[in-house]
Amino acid sequence: MTQEKFPLPKYFQFVQYYPEASAAATCALLVIFSWFFLQLNLIGLALFILAAAYVIGGYESAKEGLTTLWSEKELDVDLLMIVAALGAAGLGLWQREYHLIIDGAVLILIFAISGALETFAMERTERNIRKLMGITPDTARVIINNQEKQVPINELKIGDLVLVKPGELIPTDSIVFEGNSTVNQAPITGESLPVDKTVGDEVFAGTLNGNGVLRLEVNKSPESSLIQRVIRLVEQAQTETPPSQRFIEKFEKTYAKIIVISGILLGILPPFLLGWSWETTIYRALIFLVVASPCALMASIMPTLLSGIATGARQGILFKNGAQLEMIGEIKAIAFDKTGTLTTGKLQVVDIIPAKDKSEIEVLELAAALESCSEHPIGEAIIQTAIRKNIQWRSATNVAAETGAGITGVVDSQIIVVGKENLIRSEINTGFNSQLLAESNRLQKQGKTVIWVAKEREIIGIISVADTVRLEAKKMINQLKSLGIESIVMLTGDNKQTADTVAQHLGINIVYSELLPEDKLTVIKQLQQENKNVAMVGDGINDAPAISLATVGIAMGGAGSDVALESADIVLMADRLEKLVEAISLGRRANRIIKQNITFAIGFIFLLLVANFTGNINMPLGVLGHEGSTVLVTLSGLRLLK
């Protein structure tokens, strides 16, 4: 007979999941009861209940404060609060003014409520991180001897075949072995539209399969999958302290000592210098300890930066730490690699110009017939264009490739030549078509590569191929200019003509061409001398040295290449340039909110100090103002979650 398990009552469940809020709520009830019993003159019972309120409400603060004092030999805000509360209680017992003990209890209560509210607020950021961690399933459907078997994700091995049905999450990074489908990659790359996947395409753990059945071959161990690496980087970003926060924490240690020394002096000197009573002096000194504590200042930075990191991850922008979120908002110059960054990095057919009395279809069909026997990138571009245009080509025979020149073969007993101008001139003896020569010169001036097509010693047309500019690049450059970026530079190893053509199309005025990797480093150093904060955007592989040297290195993730994740400070996971503008805007918003928070925190501390010295504030109001300002700057930082 099994023992029936009874669920915990709702109150105990609340205590279990929200201990800080439970302590604050219990403390509030005890303070109310103690005040009620004081009104009835039941002093003994009231003091007993107040003692319980002090213990329950102040336990966590006392524990943290004493731990810091013992382990780090440093005073912190928690301990100052407890000292102030106990001081008020001691003063109340000494003077038999029990309302002062109530004031101390209210101090602990408001501090406990503040801690609970900050915890609730910060959990919003934590939930965004947990969403990342929860988007992968626990098991995978592995195919073994044509049988399906559920296997834990961590037991998957490279080479395993995994079956993913429509609407299921993809369990680990894999290659499509069989099937076609659309996959929603938004949780990983931030892409708003599903991406078509077919045999040979890579898919990522945590992405959502559409309406097709996919058989996947595992090509990475589960722990090295893209989503796991992203999670590790986001977790690392949470634990790393940015420079501004390190400065504030260092400042806090010195500031806490100043508060203690000032509090002691304030508790001794006023009776001799200002004629205050000892009761007033000690009470004002205790309020001083409360209102001068830099809680709001300490909460001005990290909630903002963590919120920004979480928002960036949700949009496909991976900040490796808070420092990079700060720095991206302060950059004055951006250098772009051309190939694979401003351009797609893949050759595409741009123009097909047939000779007189010939057609584009004939030119492309004959070129595809020969290039289908080649593995050259230019041939691949021609083949893809023919497929896209639904052109059927006949098989070529006697195909021979000449490295760097072109390819020859026979189609329907006719000799076909596809290649550069020099190869065509060597293969045919007749004169060149003047119109096509003029078109070829025009296209080459635009930085395009021209391929000639000849049939039976007659030129039938030309095809131009080029690494095409990304569709979003020009709009992105204009947006950067509108943001006030002072210098936008293009770096490339390509020839000057090609580089100038791309730069002119995009509206980039500063171009460095024919660069080796070490030359890019020199340019970055020069830009840093002219503009202190420089960002470098590249593909994360060829540009790794320049990305590492720049103030902020930004990699086009290519859906998450290993080098991109390792070498850059920021990774645009969706491989989409427009995310750069969002990253800069997010960084600027973060810096603006941090400055607002710091100004507000310092200003509010000053106002509370003035109110304390003029006698216009009591302990509960001082605590309310102090803790209220802390909660406000925390909530202000969470604005970045929108």
Side-chain angles (χ1 to χ4, degrees), residues 544-592:
I547 286 175
S548 299
L549 179 65
T551 312
V552 180
I554 304 169
M556 300 293 290
S561 68
D562 291 331
V563 178
L565 284 170
E566 292 168 5
S567 64
D569 302 307
I570 301 172
V571 180
L572 307 181
M573 299 297 294
D575 206 16
R576 289 165 56 191
L577 269 177
E578 66 267 27
K579 294 292 183 181
L580 175 61
V581 177
E582 294 182 25
I584 294 173
S585 299
L586 192 61
R588 290 187 175 183
R589 277 191 67 204
N591 290 339
R592 188 163 59 247

Coordinates of all heavy atoms in Angstrom, one line a residue, residues 544-592:
A544 N 39.7 37.8 -37.5 CA 39.8 37.6 -36.0 C 40.9 38.5 -35.4 O 40.6 39.1 -34.3 CB 40.2 36.1 -35.7
P545 N 42.1 38.7 -36.0 CA 43.0 39.7 -35.4 C 42.5 41.1 -35.2 O 42.6 41.7 -34.1 CB 44.2 39.6 -36.3 CG 44.1 38.3 -37.0 CD 42.7 38.1 -37.2
A546 N 41.8 41.6 -36.3 CA 41.3 43.0 -36.2 C 40.1 43.0 -35.2 O 40.0 44.0 -34.5 CB 40.9 43.4 -37.6
I547 N 39.3 42.0 -35.2 CA 38.2 41.9 -34.3 C 38.7 41.9 -32.8 O 38.1 42.6 -32.0 CB 37.3 40.7 -34.5 CG1 36.5 40.9 -35.8 CG2 36.4 40.4 -33.4 CD1 35.7 39.7 -36.2
S548 N 39.7 41.2 -32.5 CA 40.3 41.2 -31.2 C 40.9 42.5 -30.8 O 40.8 42.9 -29.6 CB 41.4 40.1 -31.1 OG 40.8 38.8 -31.4
L549 N 41.5 43.2 -31.7 CA 42.2 44.5 -31.4 C 41.2 45.6 -31.1 O 41.4 46.5 -30.3 CB 43.1 44.9 -32.5 CG 43.9 46.2 -32.3 CD1 44.8 46.1 -31.1 CD2 44.7 46.5 -33.5
A550 N 40.1 45.6 -31.9 CA 39.1 46.7 -31.8 C 38.5 46.8 -30.4 O 38.6 45.9 -29.6 CB 38.0 46.5 -32.8
T551 N 38.1 48.0 -30.1 CA 37.4 48.3 -28.8 C 36.3 47.3 -28.5 O 36.1 46.7 -27.5 CB 36.9 49.7 -28.7 OG1 38.0 50.6 -29.1 CG2 36.5 50.1 -27.2
V552 N 35.5 47.2 -29.6 CA 34.4 46.2 -29.6 C 34.5 45.4 -30.9 O 34.4 45.9 -32.0 CB 33.0 46.9 -29.5 CG1 31.9 45.8 -29.5 CG2 32.9 47.7 -28.3
G553 N 34.7 44.1 -30.8 CA 34.7 43.2 -31.9 C 33.4 42.6 -32.1 O 32.8 42.0 -31.2
I554 N 32.9 42.7 -33.3 CA 31.5 42.2 -33.7 C 31.6 41.2 -34.8 O 32.2 41.5 -35.8 CB 30.6 43.3 -34.1 CG1 30.6 44.4 -33.0 CG2 29.2 42.8 -34.4 CD1 29.9 45.7 -33.4
A555 N 31.1 40.0 -34.6 CA 31.2 38.9 -35.6 C 29.8 38.7 -36.2 O 28.8 38.6 -35.5 CB 31.7 37.6 -35.0
M556 N 29.8 38.5 -37.5 CA 28.6 38.0 -38.2 C 28.6 36.5 -37.9 O 29.4 35.8 -38.3 CB 28.7 38.3 -39.7 CG 28.8 39.7 -40.1 SD 27.3 40.7 -39.7 CE 26.2 40.0 -40.9
G557 N 27.6 36.1 -37.1 CA 27.6 34.7 -36.6 C 27.5 33.6 -37.6 O 27.9 32.5 -37.4
G558 N 26.9 33.9 -38.8 CA 26.7 32.8 -39.8 C 26.0 31.7 -39.1 O 26.3 30.5 -39.3
A559 N 24.9 32.1 -38.3 CA 24.2 31.1 -37.5 C 25.1 30.4 -36.5 O 24.8 29.3 -36.1 CB 23.4 30.2 -38.4
G560 N 26.2 31.1 -36.1 CA 26.9 30.6 -34.9 C 28.1 29.9 -35.2 O 28.3 28.8 -34.7
S561 N 29.1 30.3 -36.0 CA 30.3 29.6 -36.2 C 31.1 29.6 -35.0 O 31.1 30.6 -34.2 CB 31.1 30.2 -37.4 OG 31.6 31.5 -37.0
D562 N 31.9 28.6 -34.8 CA 32.7 28.5 -33.5 C 33.6 29.7 -33.4 O 33.7 30.2 -32.3 CB 33.6 27.2 -33.6 CG 32.7 26.0 -33.5 OD1 31.6 26.0 -32.8 OD2 33.1 24.9 -34.0
V563 N 34.4 30.1 -34.4 CA 35.3 31.2 -34.3 C 34.6 32.5 -34.0 O 35.1 33.3 -33.2 CB 36.1 31.3 -35.6 CG1 37.1 32.5 -35.5 CG2 36.9 30.0 -35.9
A564 N 33.4 32.7 -34.6 CA 32.7 33.9 -34.3 C 32.3 34.0 -32.8 O 32.5 35.0 -32.2 CB 31.4 33.9 -35.1
L565 N 31.9 32.9 -32.2 CA 31.5 32.9 -30.8 C 32.7 33.1 -29.9 O 32.6 33.6 -28.8 CB 30.8 31.6 -30.4 CG 29.4 31.4 -30.9 CD1 28.9 30.0 -30.7 CD2 28.5 32.4 -30.2
E566 N 33.9 32.7 -30.3 CA 35.1 32.7 -29.5 C 35.9 34.0 -29.6 O 36.4 34.5 -28.6 CB 36.0 31.5 -29.8 CG 35.4 30.2 -29.4 CD 36.2 29.0 -29.9 OE1 37.2 29.2 -30.6 OE2 35.7 27.9 -29.8
S567 N 35.9 34.6 -30.8 CA 36.8 35.7 -31.0 C 36.2 37.1 -30.8 O 36.9 38.0 -30.5 CB 37.4 35.7 -32.4 OG 36.3 35.8 -33.4
A568 N 34.9 37.2 -30.9 CA 34.2 38.5 -30.9 C 33.7 38.8 -29.5 O 33.5 37.9 -28.7 CB 33.1 38.6 -31.9
D569 N 33.5 40.1 -29.3 CA 32.8 40.5 -28.0 C 31.3 40.5 -28.2 O 30.6 40.2 -27.2 CB 33.2 42.0 -27.7 CG 34.7 42.1 -27.6 OD1 35.3 41.4 -26.8 OD2 35.3 43.0 -28.2
I570 N 30.8 40.7 -29.4 CA 29.4 40.7 -29.7 C 29.2 39.8 -31.0 O 29.9 39.9 -31.9 CB 28.8 42.1 -29.9 CG1 29.1 43.0 -28.7 CG2 27.3 42.1 -30.3 CD1 28.7 44.4 -28.9
V571 N 28.2 39.0 -30.9 CA 27.9 38.1 -32.1 C 26.5 38.4 -32.6 O 25.5 38.3 -31.8 CB 28.1 36.6 -31.8 CG1 27.8 35.8 -33.0 CG2 29.5 36.3 -31.2
L572 N 26.4 38.7 -33.9 CA 25.0 38.9 -34.5 C 24.6 37.5 -35.0 O 25.0 37.1 -36.1 CB 25.1 39.9 -35.6 CG 25.7 41.2 -35.3 CD1 25.7 42.2 -36.5 CD2 25.0 41.9 -34.1
M573 N 23.8 36.8 -34.1 CA 23.6 35.4 -34.4 C 22.8 35.1 -35.7 O 23.0 34.1 -36.3 CB 22.7 34.8 -33.2 CG 23.5 34.9 -31.9 SD 25.0 33.9 -31.8 CE 24.3 32.3 -31.9
A574 N 21.9 36.0 -36.1 CA 21.1 35.8 -37.3 C 21.9 36.1 -38.5 O 21.4 36.0 -39.6 CB 19.9 36.6 -37.2
D575 N 23.2 36.6 -38.4 CA 24.0 36.9 -39.6 C 23.3 38.0 -40.4 O 23.4 38.1 -41.6 CB 24.2 35.7 -40.5 CG 25.4 35.8 -41.3 OD1 26.3 36.7 -41.0 OD2 25.6 35.1 -42.3
R576 N 22.6 38.9 -39.6 CA 21.9 40.0 -40.2 C 22.5 41.4 -39.8 O 22.5 41.7 -38.6 CB 20.4 39.9 -39.9 CG 19.7 38.8 -40.6 CD 18.3 38.5 -40.0 NE 17.5 39.7 -40.0 CZ 16.3 39.7 -39.3 NH1 15.9 38.7 -38.6 NH2 15.6 40.8 -39.4
L577 N 22.9 42.2 -40.7 CA 23.6 43.4 -40.4 C 22.7 44.4 -39.7 O 23.2 45.2 -38.8 CB 24.1 44.1 -41.7 CG 25.5 43.7 -42.2 CD1 25.8 44.4 -43.5 CD2 26.5 44.1 -41.1
E578 N 21.4 44.4 -39.9 CA 20.5 45.4 -39.3 C 20.5 45.3 -37.8 O 20.2 46.2 -37.0 CB 19.1 45.4 -39.8 CG 18.3 44.1 -39.5 CD 18.4 43.1 -40.6 OE1 19.5 43.1 -41.4 OE2 17.5 42.3 -40.8
K579 N 20.9 44.1 -37.3 CA 21.0 43.9 -35.8 C 22.1 44.7 -35.2 O 22.0 45.0 -34.0 CB 21.3 42.4 -35.5 CG 20.2 41.4 -35.9 CD 18.9 41.7 -35.1 CE 17.8 40.7 -35.4 NZ 16.6 40.9 -34.6
L580 N 23.1 45.2 -36.0 CA 24.1 46.1 -35.5 C 23.5 47.4 -35.0 O 23.9 47.9 -34.0 CB 25.2 46.3 -36.6 CG 26.3 47.3 -36.2 CD1 27.1 46.8 -35.0 CD2 27.2 47.5 -37.4
V581 N 22.6 47.9 -35.8 CA 22.0 49.2 -35.4 C 21.2 49.0 -34.1 O 21.2 49.8 -33.2 CB 21.0 49.7 -36.5 CG1 20.3 50.9 -36.1 CG2 21.8 49.9 -37.8
E582 N 20.5 47.8 -34.0 CA 19.8 47.5 -32.7 C 20.7 47.4 -31.5 O 20.4 47.8 -30.4 CB 19.0 46.3 -32.9 CG 17.8 46.4 -33.9 CD 17.0 45.1 -34.0 OE1 17.0 44.3 -33.0 OE2 16.4 44.8 -35.1
A583 N 21.9 46.8 -31.8 CA 22.9 46.6 -30.7 C 23.4 48.0 -30.2 O 23.5 48.2 -29.0 CB 24.0 45.8 -31.2
I584 N 23.7 48.9 -31.2 CA 24.2 50.2 -30.8 C 23.1 51.0 -30.0 O 23.4 51.6 -29.0 CB 24.6 51.0 -32.0 CG1 25.9 50.3 -32.6 CG2 25.0 52.4 -31.7 CD1 26.3 50.9 -34.0
S585 N 21.9 50.9 -30.5 CA 20.8 51.6 -29.9 C 20.5 51.0 -28.5 O 20.3 51.8 -27.5 CB 19.5 51.4 -30.7 OG 19.6 52.0 -32.0
L586 N 20.7 49.7 -28.3 CA 20.5 49.1 -27.0 C 21.6 49.5 -26.0 O 21.3 49.8 -24.9 CB 20.5 47.6 -27.2 CG 20.1 46.7 -25.9 CD1 18.7 47.0 -25.6 CD2 20.3 45.2 -26.3
G587 N 22.8 49.6 -26.6 CA 24.0 50.1 -25.7 C 23.8 51.5 -25.3 O 24.1 51.9 -24.2
R588 N 23.3 52.4 -26.2 CA 23.1 53.8 -25.9 C 22.0 53.9 -24.9 O 22.0 54.8 -23.9 CB 22.8 54.6 -27.1 CG 24.0 54.7 -28.1 CD 23.7 55.6 -29.2 NE 24.9 55.8 -30.0 CZ 25.0 56.7 -31.1 NH1 23.9 57.3 -31.5 NH2 26.2 56.8 -31.7
R589 N 20.9 53.1 -25.0 CA 19.8 53.2 -24.0 C 20.3 52.8 -22.7 O 20.0 53.4 -21.7 CB 18.7 52.2 -24.5 CG 17.7 52.8 -25.5 CD 16.5 51.9 -25.6 NE 15.7 51.9 -24.4 CZ 14.9 50.9 -24.1 NH1 14.8 49.9 -24.9 NH2 14.2 51.0 -23.0
A590 N 21.1 51.7 -22.7 CA 21.7 51.2 -21.4 C 22.5 52.3 -20.7 O 22.3 52.6 -19.5 CB 22.5 50.0 -21.6
N591 N 23.4 52.9 -21.5 CA 24.2 54.0 -20.9 C 23.4 55.2 -20.4 O 23.7 55.8 -19.4 CB 25.3 54.5 -21.9 CG 26.3 53.4 -22.2 OD1 26.5 52.5 -21.4 ND2 27.0 53.5 -23.3
R592 N 22.4 55.5 -21.2 CA 21.5 56.6 -20.8 C 20.7 56.3 -19.5 O 20.7 57.2 -18.6 CB 20.5 56.9 -21.9 CG 19.7 58.2 -21.7 CD 19.0 58.6 -23.0 NE 18.2 57.6 -23.6 CZ 18.4 56.9 -24.7 NH1 19.5 57.2 -25.4 NH2 17.6 56.0 -25.2

